[in-house]
């Protein structure tokens, strides 16, 4: 299931994209405030700036809006990561740059990330599988930059775990913000996570050389 597989009676693709982006912005605000289940399609239409009749020209049901929200989030993350990750770079600085860019995006999209992790369980099984595959694809991008950046050879299991740790640390800035942002700015949080990662990798290399 992909974004273009959510049926629309409107054939103008530019207009469909515009209206769905309006829906996504309106829905995220409501889902944060009320949750997916307590939000009505009429409220989504109003928050989006058009009538309930117009809303149903672009979707079939409320779950389609949630799917579009999740799909939009992953598409933006994917585009940002592709822009910041050069698979041909093989220095530790390329990994640091990728982490900084990813954490910045998670800061930019805090609300959307919280909504996605709270509400993704409400999607159909096919839609959940689609969303989870997008997440696996993005973790795989981090795995590749880690593989390219580290001088010491690591096992596949180690690389996968490092990549998943980075991925969750970025998201944690959003869904643990109520406590983290009392202590850290985004910059200090990012610097500390990078420092801990590099120190951990360095200690592991020392241990393996003994």
């Amino acid at each position: 299931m992909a974004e273009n597989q959510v049926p629309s009676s409107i054939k103008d693709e530019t207009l469909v994209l515009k209206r769905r982006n309006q829906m996504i912005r309106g829905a995220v605000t409501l889902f944060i405030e009320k949750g997916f289940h307590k939000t009505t399609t009429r409220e989504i239409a109003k928050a989006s700036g058009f009538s309930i009749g117009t809303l149903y020209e672009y979707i079939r049901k409320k779950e389609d809006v949630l799917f579009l929200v999740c799909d939009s989030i992953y598409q933006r993350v994917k585009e940002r990561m592709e822009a910041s990750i050069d698979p041909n770079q093989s220095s530790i600085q390329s990994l640091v740059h990728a982490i900084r860019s990813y954490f910045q995006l998670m800061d930019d999209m805090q609300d959307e990330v919280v909504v996605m992790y709270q509400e993704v369980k409400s999607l159909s099984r096919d839609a959940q599988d689609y969303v989870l595959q997008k997440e696996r694809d993005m973790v795989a991008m981090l795995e590749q930059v880690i593989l390219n950046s580290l001088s010491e050879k690591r096992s596949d299991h180690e690389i996968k775990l490092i990549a998943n740790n980075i991925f969750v640390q970025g998201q944690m800035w959003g869904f643990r913000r109520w406590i983290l942002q009392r202590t850290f700015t985004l910059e200090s949080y990012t610097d500390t996570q990078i420092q801990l990662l590099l120190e951990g990798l360095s200690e592991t290399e020392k241990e393996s050389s003994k």
Side-chain angles (χ1 to χ4, degrees), residues 30-171:
L30 289 167
F31 292 166
I32 287 170
E33 179 186 341
K34 304 179 64 172
F36 171 73
H37 290 291
K38 291 183 179 179
T39 298
T40 67
T41 50
R42 192 170 297 279
E43 288 171 326
I44 294 171
K46 183 177 179 181
S48 304
F50 39 77
S51 70
I52 186 72
T54 300
L55 181 81
Y56 279 113
E57 291 179 343
Y58 297 92
I59 60 163
R60 301 162 300 174
K61 56 187 184 296
K62 188 172 71 170
E63 287 77 8
D64 286 346
V65 180
L66 178 58
F67 173 77
L68 291 171
V69 168
C70 293
D71 193 48
S72 172
I73 292 167
Y74 277 119
Q75 187 59 36
R76 287 172 63 188
V77 174
K78 180 174 181 287
E79 289 171 359
R80 180 75 70 92
M81 290 177 70
E82 286 176 341
S84 67
I85 294 174
D86 182 350
N88 298 316
Q89 289 292 321
S90 58
S91 72
I92 199 69
Q93 285 307 310
S94 63
L95 175 58
V96 170
H97 177 67
I99 294 171
R100 289 192 187 284
S101 179
Y102 172 60
F103 281 19
Q104 179 63 60
L105 180 59
M106 292 297 97
D107 182 64
D108 295 343
M109 299 177 64
Q110 291 177 48
D111 290 343
E112 290 95 329
V113 169
V114 170
V115 165
M116 186 177 64
Y117 278 96
Q118 285 177 338
E119 306 295 357
V120 71
K121 61 185 178 294
S122 300
L123 292 172
S124 69
R125 176 60 61 186
D126 284 349
Q128 285 185 35
D129 289 345
Y130 171 82
V131 167
L132 290 174
Q133 183 57 51
K134 284 210 163 189
E135 183 162 305
R136 285 191 289 268
D137 291 344
M138 285 180 286
V139 172
M141 292 172 67
L142 281 173
E143 289 174 15
Q144 188 59 52
V145 76
I146 292 164
L147 186 63
N148 290 349
S149 300
L150 301 183
S151 57
E152 188 79 13
K153 183 170 176 58
R154 303 276 171 172
S155 70
D156 289 345
H157 284 91
E158 287 177 311
I159 289 174
K160 285 182 183 298
L161 189 56
I162 294 167
N164 276 282
N165 282 344
I166 293 169
F167 202 75
V168 172
Q169 285 164 2
Q171 295 165 341

